[in-house]
Amino acid sequence: MKKQTILSVICGVIVLLVGFIAFSMVHPEQFLHKPKTWTATQVAQMPLDSKGQLAGFDVPYIESATQFSEDVLYSADKMTVKALSVTPTNVYELKPWTSRTRTVGRKRHKRTVQKDFVVTSPFQNEVSYNRYYILELPDHSHILAKIPPHFVSAAKKGKPLPIGEKTAVSPAAQSALSKYNTQYHFPIDCVYDCFDAKWYEQNDIFVIAIKAVFALIPSGIIGFLLYKITKKIC
């Protein structure tokens, strides 16, 4: 194989890697999504609209895994949590607002296939899937959580998460998460979900498009520089 071909392949891999990293790190939701601060009274009046909003001073906190798993009703109680630590897993679940199918192949050979509801991968990008996280609570017990990507860094610094609710964990996700449960001992049948699903359903494609544009900029610059270097070497 010629030197130029080898260098081209290496450069192509580098450009793709830079683009993937940039796509994964940029979260335009941080600027596009403007959640409001809700008090406990507002939450009680409009519970369905409060999910994903910022918690006021009187919104109750989750203090223990026992409280969350036994005392909190599914989808009925709205609360927040301030975690001592946030641990990412490699388990991802299909976003409820995304299409459950995808098209593969080209032209006449196109076919529609069902997406996997749960995937496990250390490199899975959060385009169609939401990642499961493990939160450490004030009493050092643990629970599962689904957190919008732009709130993860704040949560790791000890800031309260948006208002969320307890939702069920699918059997497929429970199976994939079981390997973490031996270490963290969390309730495996429920998860703290604080996604503003209505906002994401309306803006998800726009968010992905912005992420793609931001990914093209550094990958294009790196690609141009590598092209010049390769040309000079060869």
Side-chain angles (χ1 to χ4, degrees):
M1 189 179 289
K2 293 181 180 180
K3 182 194 293 185
Q4 186 173 357
T5 304
I6 296 173
L7 290 174
S8 298
V9 171
I10 294 173
C11 292
V13 171
I14 293 173
V15 169
L16 289 174
L17 184 61
V18 169
F20 177 80
I21 293 173
F23 189 92
S24 302
M25 292 181 64
V26 173
H27 300 298
E29 310 100 302
Q30 187 172 356
F31 309 102
L32 300 174
H33 187 212
K34 301 294 184 182
K36 297 180 180 179
T37 301
W38 283 50
T39 64
T41 303
Q42 291 173 308
V43 172
Q45 292 172 346
M46 295 181 289
L48 295 179
D49 296 328
S50 65
K51 185 182 174 186
Q53 305 302 314
L54 301 179
F57 72 96
D58 55 351
V59 173
Y61 280 76
I62 301 170
E63 300 292 341
S64 70
T66 302
Q67 173 202 6
F68 183 65
S69 63
E70 296 182 3
D71 299 340
V72 177
L73 299 175
Y74 281 94
S75 302
D77 296 331
K78 298 295 187 293
M79 68 229 72
T80 186
V81 57
K82 186 184 290 185
L84 299 179
S85 67
V86 181
T87 304
T89 72
N90 67 346
V91 179
Y92 299 77
E93 191 170 85
L94 192 65
K95 295 177 180 178
W97 53 84
T98 60
S99 172
R100 298 299 174 93
T101 60
R102 60 189 177 93
T103 303
V104 298
R106 295 182 179 180
K107 296 182 179 179
R108 295 182 181 180
H109 301 289
K110 284 184 178 180
R111 59 191 180 93
T112 301
V113 297
Q114 196 80 13
K115 291 180 181 177
D116 293 328
F117 186 65
V118 173
V119 294
T120 56
S121 170
F123 304 108
Q124 179 67 36
N125 195 278
E126 298 169 359
V127 174
S128 300
Y129 293 85
N130 286 332
R131 190 174 202 168
Y132 276 94
Y133 291 86
I134 300 170
L135 304 183
E136 183 182 1
L137 301 181
D139 69 341
H140 302 291
S141 61
H142 298 84
I143 62 171
L144 293 169
K146 289 180 182 176
I147 310 171
H150 59 299
F151 280 105
V152 173
S153 295
K156 289 181 177 179
K157 296 175 183 177
K159 295 184 179 180
L161 286 173
I163 297 170
E165 64 187 20
K166 182 172 80 172
T167 58
V169 178
S170 66
Q174 289 186 38
S175 177
L177 290 162
S178 60
K179 63 180 181 181
Y180 296 97
N181 205 13
T182 56
Q183 178 181 354
Y184 295 99
H185 308 290
F186 47 78
I188 202 166
D189 61 339
C190 55
V191 57
Y192 178 82
D193 184 354
C194 56
F195 270 89
D196 184 351
K198 185 184 296 184
W199 185 90
Y200 274 92
E201 185 174 5
Q202 295 172 349
N203 297 275
D204 205 36
I205 295 177
F206 185 46
V207 169
I208 293 172
I210 294 176
K211 285 167 70 73
V213 171
F214 273 94
L216 285 172
I217 295 172
S219 58
I221 294 172
I222 296 297
F224 177 76
L225 294 175
L226 290 175
Y227 169 77
K228 289 291 187 181
I229 294 170
T230 303
K231 190 175 181 182
K232 189 174 182 179
I233 293 174
C234 296

